[in-house]
Structures are given as C-alpha cells and as structure tokens.
C-alpha cells in the first residue's frame, strides 16, 4: 500500500464514482488513519480495518457514509463484515471483504464461519476479495489445480446460495511475478436476493497496473441515487 497505489485508488473514486472500497493484503501491522485517508479523496468516509500478522495479510474496507450507513461489523483475521443500509433502501446489505488464508485448513474454517454468519445475519450478501481458491481447472493457467480445495469452495458457494456475475476485461485476476502463472482467485459472490435486486450489474477486471491482482469493479444502479460501485 504505497503512495502510487493510493493515488491510483483515489483516481478511480472520481472515474467510477466508487462508494465502497475493499482492499486485501495491506501488509501493515498497524495501519494508521493517515495512510488510510490517503486512499480516499477529500470527501467524508468511514472505514474498518484488520491489521496484518507480521507482514502477511491485512484488510481495509472504506465507504461513503452518505451512500452506505453501517450498523454492525464482524471481523476476523481473514475477513471484515459490515452490515448496513444503502440510503433509500430498506433491506440490509452485508458486505464482506475477504482475504482467504493460503492454508487450506484455515480456508475451510473460514467457509464454515461465514456460512454460520449468513444464517444469523439476514439481508443481501456480497462477498468480494481474494479467496485464494478457484472453482474449476479452467480458472488456472500454468499452476496446480487442487481438486479437494475446489470441491470445498464450491460446496461453500452452493450451501451459501451464492452466485457470480459474468466478469469482463480479463479471464484471470492474478499473475505471478514472472508472468507465467495465471489464476482467477479474486471473486465477487452475491446471494440470490442481491442478484435479483441488481440483475444487470456489471463486473469488470481492470489492467494489473498497481498490483499483481486485477482490480475488480462492480457497478450497480440504486434507484434515483445512480451508480453505486464496489
């Protein structure tokens, strides 16, 4: 999370009219508000964070309080859940910023924890971030496909009733440093109620200019309030 990345993110705020940002792998043991502020423009914002363990992990969620009003949050080392309402909407919206562990056992524990939360926290769910897992062999290129991991991930998606929007821009969202290995480990998963509310939302994977991951932008339209991208 350097100065260049902060500048690029601020540029996207105005370019796409972004209302909610989910950042994974901040790598900050103590993420100061000064650094957090550098990722937003001069308008008001609120945030929730999870500090990294050593130089691994770390999460940051930021949003426009004039669009999204937070009512509840649940945090672990691998996700930030915020529940609230979009202005003008009565239904609760649950936004989960995910950075899944590279350890398969810990990933499975997180799947179970999120399924339990979904049973108790009602509303329209959207989960977005780095899931460190793919669903099918075609979502990897020149990298190993783990059948058991994919089965567990697909079971989690099915049991949670989650769906995906078709992604545009790029087939793969992550590229290794040497450019040889590609995979689609970054996902946006939504519940059926979210999909029914915004069936025409568009998901775009941008060029990898500031990270080895593509930035994903989900564009929705909320009544008279216009676009509300994530």
């Amino acid at each position: 999370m350097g100065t260049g990345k902060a500048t690029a993110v601020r540029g996207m705020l105005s370019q796409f009219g972004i209302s909610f940002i989910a950042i994974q792998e901040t790598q900050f043991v103590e993420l100061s508000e000064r650094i957090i502020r550098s990722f937003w423009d001069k308008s008001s914002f609120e945030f929730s964070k999870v500090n990294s363990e050593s130089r691994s992990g770390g999460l940051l969620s930021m949003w426009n309080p004039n669009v999204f009003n937070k009512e509840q949050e649940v945090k672990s080392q691998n996700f930030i859940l915020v529940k609230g309402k979009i202005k003008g909407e009565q239904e609760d919206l649950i936004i989960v910023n995910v950075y899944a562990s590279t350890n398969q056992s810990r990933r499975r524990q997180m799947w179970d924890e999120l399924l339990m939360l979904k049973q108790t926290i009602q509303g329209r769910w959207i989960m977005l971030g780095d899931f460190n897992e793919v669903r099918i062999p075609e979502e990897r290129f020149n990298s190993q496909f783990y059948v058991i991991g994919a089965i567990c991930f697909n079971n989690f998606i099915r049991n949670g009733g989650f769906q995906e929007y078709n992604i545009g821009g790029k087939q793969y969202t992550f590229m290794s440093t040497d450019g040889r290995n590609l995979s689609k480990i970054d996902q946006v998963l939504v519940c059926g109620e979210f999909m029914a509310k915004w069936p025409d939302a568009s998901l775009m994977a941008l060029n990898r200019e500031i990270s080895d991951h593509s930035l994903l932008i989900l564009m929705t339209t909320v009544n008279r309030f216009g676009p509300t991208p994530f």
Side-chain angles (χ1 to χ4, degrees):
M1 289 181 62
T3 304
K5 291 183 179 181
T7 302
V9 171
R10 285 200 310 273
M12 287 190 298
L13 282 173
S14 58
Q15 180 181 356
F16 296 101
I18 289 174
S19 301
F20 195 103
I21 294 175
I23 300 175
Q24 302 84 41
E25 205 169 6
T26 64
Q27 298 182 341
F28 274 85
V29 175
E30 182 52 51
L31 187 58
S32 69
E33 188 167 343
R34 178 186 62 82
I35 295 174
I36 293 171
R37 183 170 294 278
S38 69
F39 281 80
W40 204 264
D41 58 23
K42 294 182 180 179
S43 64
S44 62
F45 71 93
E46 295 178 357
F47 69 90
S48 181
K49 66 172 182 174
V50 171
N51 292 325
S52 66
E53 295 178 326
S54 183
R55 292 285 292 175
S56 175
L59 289 160
L60 174 63
S61 294
M62 307 176 69
W63 59 89
N64 181 347
N66 296 315
V67 174
F68 177 74
N69 179 38
K70 187 194 78 170
E71 299 171 352
Q72 179 185 358
E73 72 175 19
V74 180
K75 297 194 288 188
S76 81
Q77 196 59 43
N78 293 108
F79 68 83
I80 297 173
L81 180 156
V82 290
K83 171 187 172 182
K85 288 184 174 66
I86 293 177
K87 296 294 178 66
E89 293 288 325
Q90 297 301 314
E91 187 77 15
D92 286 328
L93 180 65
I94 297 92
I95 307 172
V96 189
N97 180 3
V98 174
Y99 178 63
S101 172
T102 56
N103 179 278
Q104 280 199 23
S105 177
R106 290 186 63 178
R107 280 202 301 276
R108 293 174 198 170
Q109 291 175 9
M110 188 183 73
W111 306 150
D112 291 341
E113 186 175 358
L114 287 171
L115 287 176
M116 290 180 63
L117 286 170
K118 190 171 186 298
Q119 291 176 356
T120 58
I121 302 178
Q122 303 300 312
R124 299 185 181 117
W125 275 65
I126 173 172
M127 297 190 299
L128 61 168
D130 182 353
F131 289 81
N132 265 314
E133 193 61 86
V134 299
R135 304 187 65 182
I136 55 176
E138 290 75 16
E139 292 182 344
R140 287 197 183 275
F141 178 78
N142 272 351
S143 62
Q144 187 172 358
F145 175 72
Y146 296 99
V147 177
I148 300 300
I151 290 173
C152 293
F153 189 36
N154 283 313
N155 286 341
F156 161 70
I157 292 171
R158 184 183 66 254
N159 293 336
F162 293 109
Q163 304 176 39
E164 289 186 80
Y165 289 101
N166 292 328
I167 189 170
K170 290 188 175 296
Q171 179 180 358
Y172 305 104
T173 63
F174 171 77
M175 181 173 64
S176 62
T177 304
D178 59 12
R180 296 180 179 179
N181 303 327
L182 301 168
S183 60
K184 183 191 172 188
I185 56 176
D186 304 279
Q187 306 269 359
V188 175
L189 303 174
V190 301
C191 70
E193 292 82 359
F194 190 107
M195 182 73 75
K197 175 65 178 177
W198 295 291
D200 299 322
S202 61
L203 178 63
M204 181 66 65
L206 305 183
N207 290 333
R208 289 179 289 269
E209 296 178 350
I210 63 173
S211 170
D212 50 10
H213 293 257
S214 293
L215 302 181
L216 301 183
I217 297 200
L218 178 66
M219 298 284 292
T220 65
T221 301
V222 183
N223 297 337
R224 65 187 183 278
F225 296 97
T228 301
F230 298 86

